[in-house]
Amino acid sequence: METILVLMHTEDDGTLGKPARESLAAATSLQAALAGSTLTVGLVGADVQGAADSVASCGADRFFGVAGAAFGQSRYATDALAAEALCREVGANLVLAAGTSRWCRALPGVAHRVGGRADTHVTGLSVADGAVSIARWYYRQRMEATIRRTQHPWVVLTDPGCVAPWEGASGAATVQVIAVEPPAACLRTAVTGFLAPAADAQTIRPDADLLLVAGAGWTKTQADGTTHAPEAADLILAFLRKTRASLGGSKSLVDISGEGQAVLPFMTHLNQIGQTGATPRHPKGLATCCHGEEPHTVGWRFIGERRAVNLDPNCGWARGKADVLYVADAFAVMAKVNALLGEQPPA
Ligand SMILES: Cc1cc2nc3c(=O)[nH]c(=O)nc-3n(C[C@H](O)[C@H](O)[C@H](O)COP(=O)(O)OP(=O)(O)OC[C@H]3O[C@@H](n4cnc5c(N)ncnc54)[C@H](O)[C@@H]3O)c2cc1C
């Protein structure tokens, strides 16, 4: 019989983030599939009652919490203390949590403390013959493995965006708060604030419905014999402003931008998609002026619907990498798309 614990930390405002609700959805599915299993919610934060109430109807048997000012911030020492206390209290043999930066840092250490094992970047969970398996990708999303473990507790961190988040009615949850007093040595690190680009300078939006990818073609000599980088920048930024799409780039383009050539100044290596870049998850993706090379498209594996605009009918996208390829001039296409989108803000 599995004793499932789903660990969730609160956000700064005391609510539960989307990744936390995704891990809760994974845990409730698992409990439903495992006969005789129990589900416990474990919450960590400055104050966890509001978070517990927001998921009161999730079907958990029990709610436990570790709360207090010391647990309101992301800090390995206190997060590990809190999670360890919850694991021990519940006697969990299966621990689910979202792969947030906070839990990814703390929970592998917790698994070690409680004599268990941890798996990160888990993209799916399944049950067959009463046994749990996880899915995980290797070699930059080229090989998918299905893994079972006999060692318990088994700590499973699910990658954000793989499961639909739990939705349900709020209510009044009875939270059993576990008293955890962090020693002074655990409080040496303090989060003093966040540095983030201004909202309109932030081009990476993991929750956007659409990913727009720009390739090096935007900076190449065009049919008139000249380059048009400023126009390219205007077209891309206008599209992002109108759609709130996330922006990705090919390695070639981010390298050019990083080498000091002021081609597309808003493009950094953080935007790079692919084998040596990011593997984002968006329902739709549109590649523009990008050739569709294998090391690039390997990062598109989890994009739901893939479209590309390229002048070259023999580009990589034409070889099964895209669902739809428009053989066209991306400058003309994006100008027309922007005109059709108009100036109204996105719905
Ligand atoms: C080990 C390794 C790892 C790598 N990892 C990555 C990675 O993580 N991500 C990545 O992106 N790359 C990666 N690469 C590099 C990759 O192989 C390609 O070199 C790179 O993706 C090419 O970028 P690009 O398509 O933007 O540029 P190009 O290959 O120069 O293609 C530009 C395209 O723009 C088109 N074009 C030009 N003008 C227009 C226009 N007006 N309208 C429409 N189309 C136009 C051209 O037809 C051309 O197809 C890796 C390579 C290696 C060896």
Side-chain angles (χ1 to χ4, degrees):
M1 191 189 87
E2 301 286 353
T3 305
I4 305 167
L5 168 66
V6 55
L7 285 174
M8 296 185 281
H9 60 73
T10 58
E11 301 299 317
D12 285 347
D13 61 0
T15 62
L16 291 174
K18 186 162 163 268
R21 288 184 292 110
E22 290 170 359
S23 63
L24 179 59
T28 56
S29 305
L30 214 52
Q31 188 205 11
L34 285 166
S37 60
T38 61
L39 174 63
T40 303
V41 167
L43 295 157
V44 178
D47 179 0
V48 298
Q49 186 61 51
D53 288 347
S54 72
V55 295
S57 66
C58 70
D61 304 288
R62 294 178 297 170
F63 290 79
F64 282 100
V66 174
F71 301 101
Q73 59 177 280
S74 171
R75 170 174 44 202
Y76 177 86
T78 43
D79 283 342
L81 266 188
E84 181 187 353
L86 287 163
C87 289
R88 292 194 191 282
E89 179 72 31
V90 174
N93 54 4
L94 193 55
V95 180
L96 262 65
T100 59
S101 61
R102 188 168 171 180
W103 277 151
C104 281
R105 190 164 53 233
L107 293 189
V110 173
H112 178 73
R113 290 185 191 183
V114 297
R117 292 288 184 273
D119 281 292
T120 55
H121 296 295
V122 174
T123 56
L125 291 123
S126 57
V127 175
D129 302 327
V132 178
S133 298
I134 59 162
R136 192 188 195 286
W137 291 82
Y138 287 91
Y139 187 37
R140 300 304 301 186
Q141 331 305 346
R142 286 172 197 243
M143 293 186 294
E144 187 182 22
T146 303
I147 301 168
R148 286 183 184 177
R149 282 193 187 275
T150 49
Q151 181 113 12
H152 289 99
W154 188 11
V155 179
V156 174
L157 290 133
T158 49
D159 261 359
C162 296
V163 188
W166 182 86
E167 299 286 352
S170 55
T174 304
V175 183
Q176 299 177 54
V177 175
I178 305 170
V180 178
E181 283 301 328
C186 288
L187 300 171
R188 285 177 302 187
T189 304
V191 176
T192 55
F194 292 94
L195 286 180
D200 58 352
Q202 178 62 270
T203 58
I204 300 172
R205 302 182 177 118
D207 289 331
D209 287 337
L210 176 67
L211 172 73
L212 175 76
V213 169
W218 284 107
T219 65
K220 298 272 161 79
T221 304
Q222 295 298 309
D224 62 359
T226 60
T227 58
H228 295 268
E231 290 95 318
D234 288 348
L235 285 170
I236 293 166
L237 288 177
F239 181 79
L240 295 180
R241 199 175 57 244
K242 289 164 193 270
T243 59
R244 309 300 293 164
S246 191
L247 179 66
S250 70
K251 178 162 169 50
S252 294
L253 183 59
V254 303
D255 281 353
I256 300 168
S257 302
E259 280 159 10
Q261 300 178 37
V263 276
L264 299 178
F266 46 86
M267 191 64 89
T268 75
H269 281 93
L270 291 175
N271 293 93
Q272 186 186 318
I273 309 298
Q275 180 181 353
T276 44
T279 311
R281 292 165 199 275
H282 298 273
K284 293 182 180 183
L286 177 64
T288 51
C289 294
C290 163
H291 197 73
E293 300 276 6
E294 163 71 11
H296 174 77
T297 55
V298 73
W300 284 68
R301 184 175 289 281
F302 300 117
I303 302 294
E305 187 186 312
R306 289 169 275 196
R307 298 189 180 213
V309 185
N310 198 305
L311 281 171
D312 180 1
N314 279 320
C315 67
W317 301 108
R319 296 175 210 148
K321 303 275 171 52
D323 302 302
V324 180
L325 168 65
Y326 304 95
V327 179
D329 179 351
F331 281 85
V333 171
M334 295 312 288
K336 181 72 178 172
V337 168
N338 284 341
L340 290 171
L341 285 167
E343 274 309 325
Q344 72 275 29

